[in-house]
Amino acid sequence: MRKIFWNRLLQAALVAWGVGTLTFVMMRSLPGDMAYRIAAGRYGYDNVTAAAAESVRTELGLDQPAVVQYFNWLGDLLTFRLGHTMVSGAPVIGEVQHQLGHSALLAFVALFFSILIALPLGIFTAFRQGGWLDRGTLFVSSLLRSLPVFVVGLVLILLFALELRWFPVAGFGSVRHLVLPALALALTLAAVSSRVVHESTYQVLQSGYYQFARLKGLDNTAVFMRHGLRNMLVPVVAFMGVQLITLIEGIVMLESLFSWPGIGHGLAHAIFARDIPMIQGAALVMGLAFVVLNALIDLVCYSLDPRSQLT
Amino acid sequence: MSTTEQKILSRKQWAGITILGLLALFALLEWALNDADPYQQNLIRYFAAPSWQEPLGTDQFGRDMLARLGAAVRLSFALSLLCVVSAASIGTLLGVVAVWGGRSADTALNLLVNTLMALPGLVLVLLLAALVPGSFLMLYLALSLILWVEYFRVVRAISFSLKSSPQLQASYLLGFGRWYLFRRHVWPNIAPAIITLAAFGAANSIMAMAAVGFVYVGLKPPTAELGLMIVELFPYYSDAPWVLAQPLLVIFLLVLGFNWLAGRRHPLANEN
């Protein structure tokens, strides 16, 4: 338990250091004199003088050696002083908070949909191993996992927005805007997770303790609820940890495709606009969210499986 | 070596090899036989229907789609091959080093791996792509950097259980060299997992290159790259759906081919 906590805390620190270092290098590798650039941002391009640039330089410590600046940069990062975006001038922290909420909504709904698809389908096909539904889902899943998530989203747009006109193409505002991006992500997630549910359930059904519980005379529902469900859930929840990567990458891609105002959209736009404070804020928050979610999965696995609590 | 090669490939793996073989053949034949330049614009002939001159029609700038698809498939194959070979050799080497190189090497390598795994792969690729925009070299380095971790973890896990096995100890005591020990005892045990990982890694690198191209932070236009082609052709869907369908189909077939070639489940899929 304590080990989980320290490992993930170390990872969070490594994320902050990695993102901070990369963006620092990015900042230093931009062309031109940084003091002049910041002065131009503050006073307008027509009002930049050598004196203004010098005052900026001393104020921000830009005349100090690179190593000192590097540690200042990391210090700012650790105290969450993320600066202002270069595009609109708004504080990065506010922008990121705003975007994180939208992303969390999309991720949560997508995850919910994917569980709604994968869990019943996986369990049902495990009871009918080799049946037509089992072979059918296996085939569909193998096709679906060969499509990058943005292609799934694109096909849904073509089908349900442009041809059938059931849902808006892109944007944000009503529940209808949420359906297509969430569905695209849910399909991509469920393509793999439904098979994991299937295999995990099938293994439980074949096991000695399950067969014994049936022989005791328990009926199908009781034996699955009492002996099947919890055992079958442990690998499934652990797999959700592996799928977190798919979830976050899917968020980045689908938000860009659907113009969903979330953090992935923010990151892609910031990179396109070379808006370094924003890149740093978005990547940092995304990395930290990834670590926190991983820690949560660890905790759920820990509480689901009493065997892991012995050590 | 012989133990792994005796195993007969499954039907699915043959299907994967067939798809990839046909795509490679297409890319090579296109390169050898088609004279059209993938970058030559012809603005009068935008979205021309398929003809003998342009068997797959032309895109929004009147560029020959056959030539562009051929170039894009060659680019995807080249990148995936480069990434997989680099990642597999570095990952295997470091995995072996972690097991036999002493405790401090193992600790240092695990710290490095933990750092890399703390960020989702695509985010790291996006950050590195932002460092040097539009560079194939940077894309290759970034993808290899996230892919080698998988080989490292698998090789380390398998080698760790092999380290104290009787057969390896016996060979070591007989005085065989490191290279012989690796080839005779370690490689046959890790080879199946490495080959599966390589197939998945190729599929992943193709999808990742298309993904960064799709959000405009990967390679720059006018490069014929699948993700870029999709995002550029998407606005013209109602004018020319068949042109948009071409890169979509090609990326699907590429990834499907590699996924089927992998044949088995991902070696790390069941790991907590």
Side-chain angles (χ1 to χ4, degrees):
Chain A
M1 183 79 176
R2 189 166 287 175
K3 204 178 150 218
I4 295 174
F5 177 75
W6 284 115
N7 271 343
R8 294 301 176 188
L9 196 69
L10 177 69
Q11 262 197 333
L14 289 172
V15 166
W17 171 76
V19 170
T21 306
L22 271 176
T23 44
F24 180 74
V25 173
M26 226 180 272
M27 199 73 169
R28 304 278 301 178
S29 67
L30 280 181
D33 187 328
M34 211 183 319
Y36 277 91
R37 211 153 3 88
I38 294 171
R42 281 190 189 170
Y43 313 120
Y45 276 95
D46 296 336
N47 302 324
V48 180
T49 57
E54 280 315 309
S55 76
V56 167
R57 199 187 302 279
T58 40
E59 183 197 330
L60 298 180
L62 296 176
D63 49 354
Q64 286 169 322
V67 184
V68 177
Q69 286 189 42
Y70 176 58
F71 281 106
N72 286 342
W73 179 271
L74 286 186
D76 281 351
L77 187 77
L78 284 180
T79 47
F80 278 99
R81 275 180 291 178
L82 298 175
H84 298 260
T85 88
M86 290 175 176
V87 174
S88 67
V92 168
I93 196 117
E95 294 276 309
V96 167
Q97 272 172 349
H98 192 66
Q99 293 169 346
L100 190 63
H102 294 314
S103 288
L105 175 70
L106 178 58
F108 182 76
V109 174
L111 199 62
F112 179 72
F113 275 169
S114 87
I115 293 172
L116 216 59
I117 299 170
L119 214 52
L121 207 59
I123 293 176
F124 185 77
T125 53
F127 275 100
R128 303 242 193 301
Q129 171 86 359
W132 65 268
L133 190 66
D134 181 30
R135 278 175 293 146
T137 49
L138 186 62
F139 183 67
V140 172
S141 138
S142 98
L143 294 189
L144 210 53
R145 69 174 84 176
S146 300
L147 289 172
V149 65
F150 63 91
V151 173
V152 178
L154 203 69
V155 171
L156 290 184
I157 290 185
L158 297 181
L159 213 62
F160 293 111
L162 292 178
E163 291 299 328
L164 295 171
R165 296 182 184 279
W166 288 354
F167 297 104
V169 173
F172 174 75
S174 69
V175 179
R176 279 154 42 88
H177 286 98
L178 183 60
V179 176
L180 288 184
L183 189 64
L185 191 49
L187 284 176
T188 305
L189 291 171
V192 187
S193 63
S194 68
R195 297 314 298 176
V196 173
V197 173
H198 170 94
E199 266 166 50
S200 163
T201 313
Y202 184 68
Q203 261 172 14
V204 168
L205 295 187
Q206 298 300 309
S207 66
Y209 61 82
Y210 197 85
Q211 301 285 336
F212 177 70
R214 290 281 292 137
L215 284 175
K216 277 195 303 195
L218 290 177
D219 66 85
N220 249 330
T221 325
V223 72
F224 186 72
M225 284 310 181
R226 189 76 188 87
H227 297 278
L229 196 59
R230 201 176 166 111
N231 279 307
M232 154 251 143
L233 272 182
V234 176
V236 172
V237 175
F239 181 74
M240 284 174 75
V242 177
Q243 269 208 318
L244 274 182
I245 299 177
T246 320
L247 183 75
I248 292 190
E249 295 185 351
I251 290 271
V252 174
M253 296 308 300
L254 290 172
E255 284 180 353
S256 303
L257 176 61
F258 285 93
S259 308
W260 186 263
I263 199 130
H265 184 246
L267 179 66
H269 262 243
I271 290 177
F272 190 66
R274 311 280 285 149
D275 182 351
I276 292 171
M278 195 61 212
I279 294 178
Q280 170 173 273
L284 181 70
V285 169
M286 220 178 265
L288 290 181
F290 183 57
V291 174
V292 169
L293 289 172
N294 263 317
L296 279 180
I297 300 254
D298 285 351
L299 288 180
V300 175
C301 284
Y302 180 82
S303 59
L304 268 178
D305 187 358
R307 285 169 299 185
S308 67
Q309 293 162 20
L310 290 175
T311 49
Chain B
M1 275 307 266
S2 58
T3 47
T4 57
E5 276 169 3
Q6 275 163 13
K7 225 190 291 169
I8 304 159
L9 295 171
S10 70
R11 239 180 10 183
K12 203 177 198 178
Q13 282 172 305
W14 277 116
I17 291 177
T18 312
I19 293 176
L20 293 175
L22 288 175
L23 280 168
L25 196 67
F26 161 74
L28 285 179
L29 284 181
E30 194 283 322
W31 180 61
L33 300 178
N34 189 11
D35 303 326
D37 177 359
Y39 301 118
Q40 180 59 49
Q41 301 189 358
N42 185 355
L43 294 175
I44 302 173
R45 291 179 50 72
Y46 69 97
F47 293 129
S51 64
W52 285 112
Q53 199 94 67
E54 292 122 355
L56 294 176
T58 61
D59 72 357
Q60 75 275 27
F61 297 125
R63 295 174 294 195
D64 182 18
M65 275 306 283
L66 185 69
R68 286 184 70 73
L69 280 182
V73 172
R74 287 194 296 275
L75 183 69
S76 290
F77 268 125
L79 178 87
S80 57
L81 208 68
L82 271 173
C83 289
V84 163
V85 169
S86 326
S89 14
I90 294 172
T92 309
L93 180 73
L94 291 182
V96 170
V97 167
V99 174
W100 278 280
R103 176 159 291 194
S104 53
D106 192 29
T107 315
L109 283 169
N110 274 316
L111 189 69
L112 179 63
V113 164
N114 266 330
T115 315
L116 285 172
M117 289 205 323
L119 272 177
L122 189 68
V123 176
L124 196 60
V125 172
L126 284 175
L127 282 178
L128 289 171
L131 212 55
V132 187
S135 143
F136 180 82
L137 185 71
M138 202 63 207
L139 209 54
Y140 153 67
L141 287 177
L143 285 171
S144 308
L145 186 69
I146 55 168
L147 282 177
W148 74 269
V149 171
E150 296 183 340
Y151 300 89
F152 170 82
R153 291 175 64 202
V154 169
V155 169
R156 182 177 171 275
I158 297 176
S159 307
F160 201 75
S161 59
L162 276 176
K163 191 181 178 183
S164 50
S165 68
Q167 64 270 30
L168 196 77
Q169 294 286 320
S171 285
Y172 177 68
L173 290 174
L174 284 171
F176 284 109
R178 281 180 193 169
W179 175 239
Y180 177 85
L181 292 178
F182 175 75
R183 223 181 34 182
R184 184 73 186 82
H185 294 289
V186 180
W187 177 252
N189 283 294
I190 59 175
I194 297 260
I195 290 166
T196 309
L197 277 179
F200 279 124
N204 279 341
S205 54
I206 286 173
M207 287 206 273
M209 178 166 73
V212 291
F214 188 78
V215 291
Y216 279 123
V217 292
L219 301 180
K220 293 273 178 280
T223 313
E225 190 268 315
L226 292 169
L228 262 181
M229 288 167 81
I230 293 171
V231 73
E232 285 179 342
L233 288 168
F234 179 49
Y236 302 99
Y237 163 70
S238 51
D239 296 326
W242 79 90
V243 182
L244 173 62
Q246 293 169 20
L248 287 176
L249 184 69
V250 168
I251 194 169
F252 169 65
L253 287 177
L254 270 172
V255 178
L256 185 73
F258 277 117
N259 276 349
W260 278 0
L261 177 64
R264 303 180 298 150
R265 284 275 299 281
H266 195 289
L268 288 171
N270 282 335
E271 226 176 83
N272 189 351

